Amino acid sequence: MALRINALLLVFFTCLLVPAFDCAFAHPLQSNLENAWHAYLKASRSGNESELQKTMSSYSLFTLKNKLISAQRSLTPDIIKSFAKYSPDISKMEFARVIQRGDNANLVYVGNSGEKDAKGNPTVTFSSIKFVNESGWKVEAIMSCDKPMYHDDGRKTRFYESDLRPACAMDGKVKPAPALVKRPYSSALLDVFSYGYQAEVTVNGVPQKPVTASWSGVLIGGLCKNKNEISIKMTKLSTANQRVPKIRIRRLLKNRTTREVLKFEPKKKVEGVHTFIVSVK
């Protein structure tokens, strides 16, 4: 009987200790991530690219540089300083939670938005900072989520991993940095409308960001003089809401207007790989 009671007591105290150990492990991670965040802000305020490289993930840094190069620009001290200027001020927010998966982690904070919903209830805003463990924790992405976040009894709702936007989503891995592209002959814009499909566009061997809804932005790598090889791979998604996809590439002209060089709008045989040759003079 005494052995049985002792065993029950051991199980009971073990159950009490598990949350305590969870808290003990969570606190150092929170502290480490916050230190990494403050180092990132300090590096950003310096305007120094070499300092920024120590605190920003290689994937994010090289992706950013490729966008700038493709737009005939470069990473200047003023651009670097803007990162800190437009970052969330977590000192004015309340820590909500740490989400970790493998070499990915998110710090989540909550603060009063200063606004109320239609019923007059105060609302809050969540900010999430994604880190990757790349020879130490480095900042990869930031997101803010503004929406009513109070229950009727005044309690804050929880922020779930499913609330993370694609840039802050976690697969536990560290994404490799893309190769730096060369300064293009001409900058261009890529417009993609592909509800119900995933569109993968490759221009002159440079893959663009896969799109599963709609997106418009700078064409990474831009356009070459004369011959440009373009590949568009369309994959049907498991959804009944397919629409006719529309993909355009527009060359940016010196007078800040654009000229369409490719329009892809298939009404039949949408799936598969479609190839094109576009000439730019």
Side-chain angles (χ1 to χ4, degrees):
M1 186 67 174
L3 287 174
R4 183 179 297 175
I5 292 173
N6 288 338
L8 290 172
L9 288 173
L10 179 61
V11 171
F12 174 74
F13 283 114
T14 300
C15 291
L16 289 178
L17 285 171
V18 168
F21 279 121
D22 285 345
C23 292
F25 284 119
H27 179 71
L29 178 57
Q30 177 191 345
S31 179
N32 289 340
L33 295 177
E34 287 178 342
N35 287 338
W37 173 244
H38 292 307
Y40 166 80
L41 292 178
K42 182 179 179 181
S44 298
R45 293 188 185 106
S46 74
N48 189 312
E49 183 180 336
S50 62
E51 291 300 314
L52 181 69
Q53 192 168 2
K54 298 175 185 177
T55 63
M56 186 178 189
S57 79
S58 298
Y59 172 81
S60 291
L61 179 60
F62 281 73
T63 297
L64 171 63
K65 293 181 74 171
N66 276 345
K67 288 180 180 178
L68 291 169
I69 293 170
S70 301
Q72 311 276 4
R73 300 176 64 190
S74 58
L75 185 59
T76 63
D78 284 343
I79 292 176
I80 294 172
K81 289 178 181 178
S82 71
F83 301 156
K85 182 178 179 181
Y86 296 107
S87 290
D89 186 356
I90 64 173
S91 68
K92 296 179 180 178
M93 304 181 78
E94 178 185 341
F95 170 74
R97 64 178 299 196
V98 171
I99 308 172
Q100 183 182 15
R101 177 173 295 186
D103 287 327
N104 299 171
N106 270 276
L107 272 180
V108 183
Y109 294 84
V110 61
N112 196 322
S113 69
E115 299 179 358
K116 295 183 179 181
D117 63 16
K119 296 180 180 179
N121 297 318
T123 64
V124 298
T125 177
F126 282 97
S127 289
S128 178
I129 306 164
K130 181 184 178 182
F131 300 81
V132 294
N133 195 355
E134 181 186 328
S135 301
W137 291 107
K138 293 184 178 181
V139 174
E140 178 152 292
I142 303 167
M143 64 162 278
S144 293
C145 181
D146 299 320
K147 58 183 177 180
M149 281 289 182
Y150 272 100
H151 287 305
D152 292 337
D153 62 4
R155 290 184 296 109
K156 292 172 186 172
T157 61
R158 294 182 179 179
F159 185 94
Y160 298 97
E161 186 175 339
S162 58
D163 293 321
L164 294 171
R165 292 175 185 163
C168 286
M170 305 189 301
D171 61 6
K173 301 176 182 178
V174 178
K175 290 180 282 191
L180 280 180
V181 297
K182 296 179 180 179
R183 193 175 182 87
Y185 169 71
S186 177
S187 296
L189 297 176
L190 173 65
D191 307 311
V192 180
F193 179 90
S194 62
Y195 286 89
Y197 297 90
Q198 176 174 271
E200 298 174 75
V201 180
T202 301
V203 179
N204 298 321
V206 179
Q208 310 297 309
K209 170 186 174 183
V211 180
T212 56
S214 64
W215 182 86
S216 182
V218 174
L219 180 75
I220 302 301
L223 296 170
C224 298
K225 188 175 182 179
N226 298 321
K227 182 179 177 182
N228 291 270
E229 298 180 358
I230 300 169
S231 168
I232 300 175
K233 181 181 178 181
M234 302 297 296
T235 305
K236 189 175 181 179
L237 302 176
S238 55
T239 173
N241 191 23
Q242 271 87 29
R243 305 185 199 177
V244 176
K246 300 176 184 178
I247 298 175
R248 294 191 305 164
I249 294 178
R250 294 177 290 143
R251 180 185 178 187
L252 284 169
L253 305 177
K254 291 183 179 180
N255 59 2
R256 297 192 176 184
T257 60
T258 63
R259 179 183 298 160
E260 187 175 275
V261 298
L262 176 71
K263 183 177 181 180
F264 175 70
E265 192 175 353
K267 294 179 174 59
K268 296 181 179 179
K269 298 181 179 180
V270 176
E271 290 188 271
V273 178
H274 309 265
T275 58
F276 308 89
I277 299 294
V278 171
S279 181
V280 173
K281 300 298 183 181

